[in-house]
Every structure is written in C-alpha cells, then in structure tokens.
C-alpha cells in the first residue's frame, strides 16, 4: 500500500528529499504520456520525471534497443574498453552540437556534466573564477552548488570556486524587469563589464548559464543576451558554458539547443535528462582544445555505459526521425496561447512564459505582485486531482512548471490545458 511505502520511505530516506503532493503517489506503470499510480489512478504527465522522460513511457524503439544490449550479456564494461554504442552516440552529439572539432565526455547526471565542464574550464584558463547567473540551478555537488544562484537549492555555503553574479532574465521582478527587451540586453552587458572590473581579478575561467532557467521557474532572458555577453567574454578570453540539461534536444521548439536563440556558439555545452529518457545519461561536449584541458587521468565508471548509450542512440534517432522539435513548437503553442487566453488576465497570474514544451505560470497575490507559493500549491494539487501531473519551481516557489514529453499530441495538449485552466480558476476562486 502507498501509505505503508510512505512510512517506510520516511524511516530510511533523508527528510530533505522532497515528495510531491500532500498525499504522495507511487507511479507503477506508464505508456505514452500517461502514468498510473498504485491506486489505479491514471494521469496525463506534464512533467516527465523533471523533463527527463522526453519521448514518453514504454516506447518500443527504446525498450528494444536496451533489450538487444542486455541480450549480449554486457551491461557494463567501464570506459577502459571500447564501447560501440558510446562512440556512435558521441558522433551524433558532436555533429548536432554546433561546436566545431567537438569532443564528448559522458557522465551519469546533469550535476556531473556541469562539474566536468567547470573542471575543464578552470583547467583550461588556470583560474577558479567563474561568472554565474542569479536564480540559476546547476546541480548538487560542491562546485555546481557554488554556481547555483538559488538559496533554496544551495545546501552548503562551502565553495571551491570564486563566483561573481550576473542578473537573470527575470521580467517580473528585479532591477532589469522594468526595461524593454533591448534595454535589458544593454543593461545586462553593461552589468557584465562592471562585474568583471569590480568583482574579479581579470582572469575569469568561464560564464555558465542556462538558456532557460529550469529550477528557477523557466525564467529566460531576451533572445540575443548571450551574444552580448559573449562579445565581452571573447575580449577577455573567457569561456562560455551553456547548461542545456533542460533546454536541449529541441524542447524549446524553435531550436535544437537553447543557446541557438542567441546566435552564438558556446565553448562547452552540457546535456542530460531527456537524452536517456529515464536511463542515467549525461555529458559535456566542447571544442577539442578546451575539453582536452584535463592534465591527469580521469574517467566516469558508469558514464556512457552500454545500456544507457543504447537507450540514448534510440532516443536521439527517434527524436530526429519524428521531428519532435517541430512537435514541441506546435503543441507548445497550443498550451502557451491557451493559458494566456484563458488565465493570462487574472490578477493572480504574473506571467505565462517559456518556449515550446518548457512552460511556466507564475502566481502572485492579487494587487500586490508578491509571490504566492500557497496559491501555486493549490493549483498544483488541483491539477493532480484533475488527472494532470505538473511541477513546481521558481526562486519563491510560486511557479507551476510544465515539461511534457516531446511526443505530446495536440489532443493531449488540449486535455491538459482544460485541466490546468480549471485548476487555476478554482484555486484562485474565479468562476469558470
């Protein structure tokens, strides 16, 4: 029973591991975009294991690829031996990365991928100074927590890096929120120059940034900001790391990678989540001269193992063959336009934002603009009651997050939209 499992969970797992919902649920089966809990209740999933189940559940092409690898009897060899699946996937990712003369290093998680990128960048530049962005999230290890600009997720003040902070793209609150898109870009670039001049010793290693801030509530800057930043970075030889853990693989709809909205090419790009569709798979891809900046032996025992890369190859092949980037743009527009039309004018809705199938709704107290995490939670619970799973996030915990599988159909989008609109209106006390 779920109640018994919850008690057992609390008895052996740490309290700082959150569980969703007032009455936590156990998901026991799934197919397509739907999952079923231990009580037999079915849900349309708009969060996909935190944007990880990118193709959906029980996809034959992915299952069969993993089963073929399992049938060889080789689930693991370590990367001390050649792994055909790993090499093939690395070739595909290098080609798709947009980075010239690219090399790929596989890890197990986005945290490890960002940690590896920071290692490479600091080695390459012989500096431990890093530029990071407020409201960001990059992982749970010491270095990645050190460049995470969100107190809720910074579990330690210890930091092996010297970090200077830039403004985020928040358009609801903050010093730059009142500016137009062009003015915000100009102000952010001016801020970068001032930060370099006043908060660093000059020899900064890298800037790490998410094209759309995931845990931060799907906040994103105006297109072109990264180009403005990179022009300044290039003047100083500072590397640019694009954290594409959540934005990669066409999720934004308009581009394959989030960084492409800014007309730049990063020096390093990190990926994770969706590429494994539930199997642990992540990594960093970058220019050879940068990625080769590791002066000692290093490898990842499980990173890029035969099972996960078999899944990764099947995921990437499926993604491209079915043009899921275009689907994300088409189906995401149904959700975004529908939400803006149905609830965008409510006093409690500060903003409907995002791109493609990476969408957020920020809730505030009517008449004040103050974050309203309590309302957000009521919407969150009401959506589940209506049969829809979503996520939460934002610096103040007041953003409903949606990152459905990229295979979401138009019919499912409209179904989820109706549930969301009802949940928002009922939680806000607005008549249907």
């Amino acid at each position: 029973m779920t109640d018994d499992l919850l008690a057992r969970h609390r008895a052996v797992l740490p309290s700082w591991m959150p569980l969703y919902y007032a009455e936590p649920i156990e998901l026991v089966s799934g197919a397509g975009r739907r999952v079923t809990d231990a009580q037999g209740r079915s849900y349309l999933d708009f969060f996909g294991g935190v944007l990880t189940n990118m193709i959906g559940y029980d996809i034959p092409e992915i299952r069969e690829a993993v089963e073929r690898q399992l049938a060889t009897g080789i689930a693991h060899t370590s990367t001390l031996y050649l792994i055909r699946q790993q090499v093939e996937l690395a070739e595909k990712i290098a080609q798709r990365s947009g980075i010239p003369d690219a090399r790929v290093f596989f890890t197990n998680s986005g945290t490890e991928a960002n940690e590896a990128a920071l290692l490479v960048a600091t080695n390459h530049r012989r500096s431990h100074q890093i530029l990071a962005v407020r409201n960001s999230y990059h992982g749970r290890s010491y270095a990645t927590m050190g460049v995470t600009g969100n107190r809720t997720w910074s579990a330690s003040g210890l930091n092996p890096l010297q970090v200077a902070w830039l403004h985020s793209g928040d358009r609801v609150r903050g010093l730059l929120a009142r500016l137009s898109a062009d003015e915000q870009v100009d102000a952010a670039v001016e801020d970068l120059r001032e930060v370099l001049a006043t908060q660093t010793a000059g020899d900064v290693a890298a800037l790490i940034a998410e094209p759309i801030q995931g845990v931060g509530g799907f906040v994103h800057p105006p297109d072109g900001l990264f180009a403005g930043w990179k022009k300044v970075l290039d003047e100083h030889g500072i590397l640019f790391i694009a954290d594409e853990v959540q934005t990669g693989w066409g999720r934004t709809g308009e581009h394959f990678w989030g960084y492409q909205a800014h007309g730049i090419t990063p020096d390093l790009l990190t990926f994770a989540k969706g590429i494994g569709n539930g199997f642990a798979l992540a990594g960093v891809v970058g220019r050879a001269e940068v990625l080769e900046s590791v002066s000692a032996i290093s490898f990842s025992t499980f990173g890029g193992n035969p099972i996960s890369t078999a899944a990764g190859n099947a995921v990437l092949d499926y993604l491209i063959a079915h043009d899921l980037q275009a689907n994300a743009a088409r189906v995401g527009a149904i959700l975004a336009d529908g939400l803006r039309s149905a609830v965008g004018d409510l006093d409690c809705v500060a903003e409907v934002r995002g791109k493609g199938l990476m969408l957020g709704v920020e809730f505030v107290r009517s008449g004040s603009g103050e974050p309203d995490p309590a309302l957000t939670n009521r919407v969150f619970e009401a959506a589940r009651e209506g049969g829809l799973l979503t996520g939460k996030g934002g610096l103040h915990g007041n953003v409903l997050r949606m990152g459905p599988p990229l295979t979401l159909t138009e019919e499912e989008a409209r179904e989820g939209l109706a549930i969301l609109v009802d949940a928002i209106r009922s939680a806000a006390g607005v008549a249907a």
Side-chain angles (χ1 to χ4, degrees), residues 17-37:
M17 284 179 58
L19 284 170
Y20 267 177
Y21 303 114
E23 297 182 4
I25 58 177
E26 177 193 6
L27 302 180
V28 297
S29 65
R33 276 67 54 194
R34 298 182 190 276
V35 291
T36 302
D37 70 15

Side-chain angles (χ1 to χ4, degrees), residues 23-95:
E23 297 182 4
I25 58 177
E26 177 193 6
L27 302 180
V28 297
S29 65
R33 276 67 54 194
R34 298 182 190 276
V35 291
T36 302
D37 70 15
Q39 310 306 314
R41 177 79 190 274
S42 177
Y43 303 92
L44 181 59
D45 188 1
F46 266 28
F47 206 40
V50 193
L51 287 75
T52 297
N53 298 315
M54 182 172 68
I55 311 298
Y57 297 87
D58 195 25
I59 306 302
E61 291 88 340
I62 300 171
R63 182 180 65 250
E64 290 164 7
V66 171
E67 288 174 345
R68 282 195 300 271
Q69 183 59 45
L70 281 170
T72 69
I74 299 291
H76 176 73
T77 65
S78 91
T79 51
L80 294 173
Y81 304 94
L82 288 170
I83 301 174
R84 185 171 298 275
Q85 296 279 6
Q86 181 187 76
V87 172
E88 290 176 353
L89 183 57
E91 289 171 339
K92 295 172 186 176
I93 293 174
Q95 190 275 327

Side-chain angles (χ1 to χ4, degrees), residues 289-322:
E289 64 171 302
V290 178
L291 208 62
E292 296 287 0
S293 300
V294 176
S295 56
I297 293 173
S298 185
F299 82 137
S300 175
T301 300
F302 295 104
N305 67 74
I307 298 296
S308 66
T309 50
N313 274 298
V315 167
L316 191 50
D317 290 347
Y318 189 102
L319 176 83
I320 294 166
H322 292 81

